[in-house]
């Protein structure tokens, strides 16, 4: 049986989607990309997401994972990076499930990317503690221990030298200030040394669009921990969202059928 799930990756500029074979990490058919509606309001984003899902022609009942730039707790988006502030404290999963009439799982965007890199990419089957940071508009983080994701870490917001780290060390901070890769690497050194001191990880992965230029800055860093570029690039969010949605769907079904069996066996004795 092919194990399928849809992954949708919602960002401040684009919404991407794909139908994924979660066993192999391969896409079935084309990936789709559309612009994020200006303002990033929930009603506009759900409309575009519906179009993307329709175009993927997935079998009925295919679980959908949505990678989103927010802390997600019990399906509620608790923060909002580069989308409307209305997402803060918003029942996103319920809103999407009602609107799209199907099962939806919301996942933090960096968590989705990190999970994908461990399952299919640069850190495939890497044991121990892996920390992925995405260097983009902000800094996202994913912490994975022996293949298990510890969700919702916000390591881009560590306070370092009196600053929210992502305001100095993200890729957009480098562009905004027009500093060289060498100057940026000094900030990255400070950032990753701090993470290393706090977590003693086994591996750092560096994602985000700028990871394509990793040879310009990663060799300038001196750390005890190996630090390598992510390899799935803009596929990571879709793949991770699909894989995590598939796992959540499977465990919910196992849980339901265990409950069903228990109920059945209880009722037999009644
Ligand atoms: C947000 C994270 C998000 C990251 C990347 C940060 O500003 O707080 O939740 O994962 O940006 O989009």
């Amino acid at each position: 049986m092919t194990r399928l799930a849809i992954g949708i990756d919602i960002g401040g500029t684009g919404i991407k989607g794909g139908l994924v074979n979660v066993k192999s990490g391969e896409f079935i058919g084309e990936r789709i990309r559309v612009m994020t509606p200006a303002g990033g309001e929930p009603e506009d984003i759900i409309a575009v997401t519906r179009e993307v899902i329709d175009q993927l022609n997935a079998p009925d009942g295919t679980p959908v994972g949505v990678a989103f730039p927010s802390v997600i707790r019990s399906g509620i988006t608790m923060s909002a990076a580069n989308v409307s502030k209305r997402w803060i404290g918003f029942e996103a999963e319920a809103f999407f499930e009602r609107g799209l009439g199907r099962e939806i799982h919301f996942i933090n965007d960096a968590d989705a990317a990190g999970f994908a890199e461990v399952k299919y990419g640069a850190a495939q089957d890497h044991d121990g503690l892996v920390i992925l940071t995405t260097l983009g508009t902000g800094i996202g983080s994913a912490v994975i221990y022996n293949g298990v994701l510890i969700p919702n870490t916000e390591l881009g917001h560590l306070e370092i030298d009196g600053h929210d780290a992502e305001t100095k060390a993200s890729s957009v901070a480098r562009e905004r200030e027009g500093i060289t890769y060498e100057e940026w690497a000094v900030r990255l050194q400070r950032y990753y040394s701090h993470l290393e001191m706090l977590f003693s990880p086994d591996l750092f992965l560096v994602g985000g669009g700028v990871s394509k230029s990793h040879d310009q800055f990663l060799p300038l860093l001196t750390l005890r921990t190996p630090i390598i570029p992510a390899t799935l690039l803009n596929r990571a969010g879709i793949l991770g969202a699909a894989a995590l949605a598939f796992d959540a769907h499977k465990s919910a079904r196992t849980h339901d059928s265990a409950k069903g069996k228990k109920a059945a066996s209880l009722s037999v004795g009644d």
Side-chain angles (χ1 to χ4, degrees):
M1 192 188 71
T2 324
R3 310 202 296 166
L4 295 178
I6 292 173
I8 305 281
D9 186 2
I10 297 178
T13 51
I15 297 182
K16 301 182 284 257
L19 177 61
V20 178
N21 174 339
V22 295
K23 192 163 188 334
S24 63
E26 283 160 2
F27 287 100
I28 317 274
E30 294 287 305
R31 270 176 293 152
I32 291 161
R33 185 181 195 282
V34 287
M35 297 294 286
T36 305
E41 296 293 337
E43 296 75 12
D44 299 328
I45 290 195
I46 199 174
V48 173
T49 306
R50 180 183 293 113
E51 283 167 31
V52 172
I53 292 177
D54 286 350
Q55 284 184 54
L56 291 172
N57 281 323
D60 283 349
T62 306
V64 179
V66 176
F68 194 79
S70 164
V71 169
I72 320 276
R73 295 205 60 199
S74 308
I76 299 174
T77 43
M78 307 297 292
S79 56
N82 305 306
V83 284
S84 157
K85 295 293 169 226
R86 275 185 53 218
W87 290 91
I88 301 173
F90 185 69
E91 299 227 6
E93 230 165 66
F95 177 73
F96 270 57
E97 287 193 344
R98 266 199 315 273
L100 302 177
R102 55 199 304 161
E103 186 183 326
I104 306 277
H105 299 274
F106 265 67
I107 297 141
N108 169 266
D109 55 355
D111 280 347
F115 191 72
E117 291 292 344
V118 171
K119 201 167 161 72
Y120 312 114
Q124 209 169 3
D125 301 324
H126 206 288
D127 278 342
L129 184 63
V130 177
I131 299 185
L132 165 102
T133 48
T134 57
L135 303 175
T137 313
I139 297 183
S141 62
V143 173
I144 294 141
Y145 184 64
N146 286 345
V148 176
L149 172 71
I150 295 145
N152 289 320
T153 56
E154 286 285 331
L155 303 180
H157 296 293
L158 281 174
E159 187 180 314
I160 298 185
D161 303 329
H163 301 281
D164 186 357
E166 71 172 22
T167 63
K168 292 282 166 191
S170 71
S171 176
V172 162
R174 179 185 66 83
E175 289 161 13
R176 190 180 53 232
E177 295 185 40
I179 56 175
T180 62
Y181 277 111
E182 287 74 14
E183 288 166 319
W184 188 46
V186 174
R187 298 180 182 188
L188 293 177
Q189 176 70 47
R190 179 83 183 89
Y191 179 62
Y192 287 110
S193 304
H194 194 65
L195 281 186
E196 185 171 64
M197 181 272 290
L198 290 175
F199 292 96
S200 299
D202 295 291
L203 181 69
F204 280 127
L205 282 174
V206 179
V210 75
S211 63
K212 275 185 273 187
S213 312
H214 59 91
D215 51 343
Q216 308 257 18
F217 57 94
L218 289 188
L220 306 178
L221 304 181
T222 309
L223 298 159
R224 291 188 310 277
T225 313
I227 183 161
I228 60 171
T231 52
L232 299 171
L233 303 174
N234 55 11
R235 287 166 294 152
I238 306 178
L239 290 172
L244 284 161
F246 185 86
D247 288 354
H249 173 75
K250 202 173 69 182
S251 73
R253 282 172 55 143
T254 314
H255 186 70
D256 282 352
S257 79
K259 267 203 309 208
K261 274 193 199 127
K262 203 166 159 201
S265 67
L266 279 176
S267 63
V268 170
D270 284 344

